[in-house]
Amino acid sequence: MLAENTNSSVNKEQIRGGWFNRFLSTVEWLGNLLPHPITLFACFSLFIILLSGILGYFEVSVPDPRPLDAAGRDPDGMIEVISLFSAEGLQRIVGGLVTNFTGFAPLGTVLVALLGVAVAEHSGLLSAAMRGLVLKAPARLVTFTLVFAGILSNTAAELGYVVLIPMAAMIFHSLGRHPLAGLAAAFAGVSGGYSANLFLGTIDPLLAGLTTEAAKMIDPEYAVGPEANYFFMFVSVFLIAILGAVITEKIVEPRLGKFDPSQAESNLEKTQMQALTSTERRGLRNAGLALLAVGLVLCITIIPQFGGVLLHPETGGLKGSPFLKGIVAFIFVSFAIPGFVYGKTVGCMKNDKDVINAMSQGMSTLGMYIVLVFFASQFVAFFNWTNLGTVLAVKGAALLTALGLDGPEVFVFFILMCAMVNLSLGSSSAQWAVTAPIFVPMLMLVGFAPEVIQAAYRIGDSVTNLITPMMSYFGLILAVASRYQKNLGIGTLVATMLPYSMIFFVGWTLLFYLWVFVLGMPVGPGAPTYYTP
């Protein structure tokens, strides 16, 4: 995993001048003042303990808005802040330290999903699929294909940044177009369209687990599955791909003008793109057949005529069925089996040992994530135990109602808020771990379902990835861009990406409003739009 904040070595002289560059410089400076996300969660946990002690001493409480027979509702109808700054609190903290971590919903689901993705990635299947998709695209569809491939590459987090974005610049260069336009198009898909995808990936169970933990503050039985936003994210792929292609060809590329080779590195022409070999093409074909076979088997499990063994045992439907509850297992096999078939075909995987090695290598990249989850799980648990999240949600919901912001328009402000927070806290999981315990209960009390709230968050979390220096791979993108334009500054790169960020925000928010509130479509299978406490 590449180190975060690689942009810190950027020459400060390159970002001076102009109000927008000064704004970005300020964002970078403020972001660098923040401690590491792991340290941040440790500090938040200590803060929750101290704050609960103060509010508990003053017996702060709010009326419980849930029905009288709701699970977890106190008989006196009040929600009180519970102090952890006490002997009982210390006992609970010490006793729950391990179970907070091992029982944290996103941990197991992400690990299981990544086992399958690791096989597909280390066999070369994902890289070959991306190259095959882009290099075979007709010239007039190259831009659209690059953005589209960038969005799909998010299934394996590093693939788009490390492979596709540099390759996109080379493709545009080979076509006589400005390489930075190709880089921008791929970057827009990989980072600006981060949450959208045609397939469920590791980000889906990760966010769903955090949303579930937050939703349980209001409804202890509520569960959000990895498939919760699948319909909306599927449709979003095409919106982002079309917008990304139009922005590239109508705004970004004309602004860049004609490429000047004298501004590029002297050895630039030595870089060659690798076309798919006949063996790789055969591997892709076999992997595709394997994926089709896996898909057919999964379909059979939910067809009543074939027994519907994974349908809901009582209702016979998909909602709440073992199929949806076990969707992470299907993510695993849908990547692992085609990945092994591809590896077997091209000769890089011969037996079970190679598969196990691939899984082990995939797990080895998660050291930082596991440490982050440990501290994040403590923060979320403390927030739940103290009732601070619920109290804050009740107060916030009352404020929204008083301001008249209890309708769909509240999501415009929510998405904008998430986009602004993302400028300084670039990690998707870290940001949602902090904000979900506050806003999921708050918006649930206003009347919106957690699945819809999560979908809105994913828009804000994606669109400003393109313009924040705090995004983990921003320094890498700057380094690749500098190969084609020496002395390229961070301000130039951000100015190039700003049209994508702005138009994605407007277009994606409009799509969300139309999809959810005008057309009345669910954001995912069985996902409700509204919630009644």
Side-chain angles (χ1 to χ4, degrees):
M1 186 71 69
L2 295 176
E4 293 196 10
N5 299 335
T6 50
N7 53 288
S8 58
S9 61
V10 176
N11 185 352
K12 301 301 178 185
E13 293 296 329
Q14 295 176 337
I15 58 177
R16 294 177 181 169
W19 69 269
F20 188 70
N21 285 341
R22 287 196 297 272
F23 165 72
L24 293 172
S25 179
T26 302
V27 169
E28 181 182 15
W29 176 72
L30 289 173
N32 285 331
L33 289 179
L34 291 174
H36 192 283
I38 293 174
T39 307
L40 203 61
F41 277 117
C43 293
F44 283 162
S45 299
L46 292 175
F47 175 73
I48 291 299
I49 294 173
L50 295 175
L51 182 62
S52 71
I54 296 171
L55 298 182
Y57 176 79
F58 289 103
E59 299 182 346
V60 174
S61 62
V62 295
D64 194 330
R66 293 173 293 182
L68 294 176
D69 57 347
R73 194 179 193 275
D74 197 276
D76 66 1
M78 300 297 291
I79 300 174
E80 301 177 350
V81 174
I82 299 175
S83 172
L84 293 181
F85 196 72
S86 62
E88 294 81 3
L90 179 60
Q91 293 169 6
R92 191 171 189 181
I93 291 171
V94 173
L97 203 67
V98 174
T99 53
N100 291 343
F101 174 55
T102 57
F104 196 52
L107 178 62
T109 52
V110 170
L111 294 180
V112 172
L114 191 63
L115 285 173
V117 174
V119 176
E121 184 174 7
H122 287 277
S123 70
L125 169 60
L126 297 180
S127 177
M130 289 297 103
R131 284 189 289 132
L133 177 64
V134 173
L135 294 177
K136 288 294 183 180
R140 61 190 179 87
L141 293 178
V142 165
T143 307
F144 173 85
T145 306
L146 281 175
V147 183
F148 186 78
I151 299 170
L152 299 188
S153 73
N154 290 318
T155 304
E158 295 184 354
L159 181 67
Y161 292 104
V162 178
V163 176
L164 184 62
I165 292 177
M167 185 174 70
M170 288 186 279
I171 290 173
F172 265 50
H173 187 208
S174 67
L175 294 175
R177 301 172 66 178
H178 203 298
L180 294 186
L183 178 145
F187 187 21
V190 173
S191 202
Y194 174 68
S195 269
N197 216 307
L198 299 183
F199 312 101
L200 294 178
T202 53
I203 188 63
D204 295 284
L206 172 60
L207 295 182
L210 293 169
T211 306
T212 296
E213 297 286 345
K216 286 182 176 179
M217 295 181 185
I218 300 299
D219 188 342
E221 302 300 321
Y222 208 99
V224 178
E227 78 292 342
N229 298 147
Y230 180 68
F231 292 162
F232 179 67
M233 291 305 157
F234 184 98
V235 174
S236 297
V237 169
F238 301 97
L239 172 74
I240 297 301
I242 292 171
L243 289 179
V246 172
I247 295 167
T248 302
E249 296 182 350
K250 301 299 182 182
I251 300 176
V252 173
E253 199 165 8
R255 182 177 178 274
L256 290 170
K258 186 175 177 59
F259 176 57
D260 183 2
S262 66
Q263 295 295 316
E265 291 182 353
S266 58
N267 63 344
L268 190 61
E269 297 299 332
K270 297 179 181 179
T271 305
Q272 296 292 330
M273 292 179 293
Q274 293 184 344
L276 292 176
T277 64
S278 59
T279 303
E280 288 176 323
R281 288 194 294 270
R282 187 169 68 255
L284 286 176
R285 183 184 68 247
N286 293 343
L289 292 174
L291 180 61
L292 179 61
V294 170
L296 289 175
V297 171
L298 295 181
C299 287
I300 289 174
T301 64
I302 57 173
I303 297 177
Q305 289 78 2
F306 290 94
V309 294
L310 293 183
L311 291 173
H312 195 287
E314 296 178 3
T315 65
L318 272 177
K319 186 176 182 179
S321 67
F323 180 86
L324 292 183
K325 291 181 179 178
I327 200 73
V328 174
F330 304 144
I331 296 174
F332 167 72
V333 298
S334 296
F335 282 98
I337 293 177
F340 174 71
V341 169
Y342 177 86
K344 185 77 171 177
T345 303
V346 301
C348 66
M349 285 187 173
K350 298 179 180 179
N351 49 44
D352 59 315
K353 293 182 179 179
D354 294 324
V355 175
I356 294 171
N357 288 335
M359 291 181 177
S360 299
Q361 292 178 42
M363 291 296 102
S364 68
T365 65
L366 287 181
M368 184 70 73
Y369 169 74
I370 292 175
V371 177
L372 175 67
V373 163
F374 174 78
F375 287 96
S377 65
Q378 308 308 323
F379 165 74
V380 171
F382 296 172
F383 214 63
N384 288 338
W385 292 347
T386 59
N387 286 335
L388 282 172
T390 310
V391 169
L392 187 60
V394 172
K395 293 288 188 180
L399 178 62
L400 291 176
T401 302
L403 295 175
L405 294 176
D406 54 355
E409 68 278 357
V410 71
F411 283 102
V412 176
F413 298 98
F414 176 61
I415 294 171
L416 181 60
M417 183 277 300
C418 293
M420 296 302 293
V421 172
N422 191 49
L423 288 172
S424 294
L425 190 59
S427 169
S428 177
S429 56
Q431 183 184 345
W432 193 226
V434 172
T435 54
I438 299 172
F439 289 99
V440 170
M442 183 186 301
L443 294 176
M444 285 177 71
L445 291 176
V446 174
F448 297 103
E451 292 86 347
V452 172
I453 302 167
Q454 178 182 281
Y457 162 74
R458 296 175 75 165
I459 297 173
D461 177 58
S462 299
V463 295
T464 49
N465 283 335
L466 300 167
I467 59 172
T468 172
M470 302 311 299
M471 196 274 295
S472 302
Y473 293 97
F474 199 90
L476 173 64
I477 305 304
L478 186 64
V480 174
S482 297
R483 298 185 62 234
Y484 298 93
Q485 185 174 323
K486 291 179 291 187
N487 301 320
L488 180 80
I490 188 174
T492 302
L493 179 58
V494 171
T496 301
M497 303 310 301
L498 184 60
Y500 296 101
S501 188
M502 296 173 64
I503 296 174
F504 282 2
F505 172 81
V506 174
W508 212 345
T509 302
L510 284 175
L511 176 64
F512 175 79
Y513 181 83
L514 291 172
W515 182 267
V516 176
F517 300 111
V518 176
L519 299 178
M521 301 291 286
V523 292
T529 299
Y530 300 100
Y531 173 78
T532 302

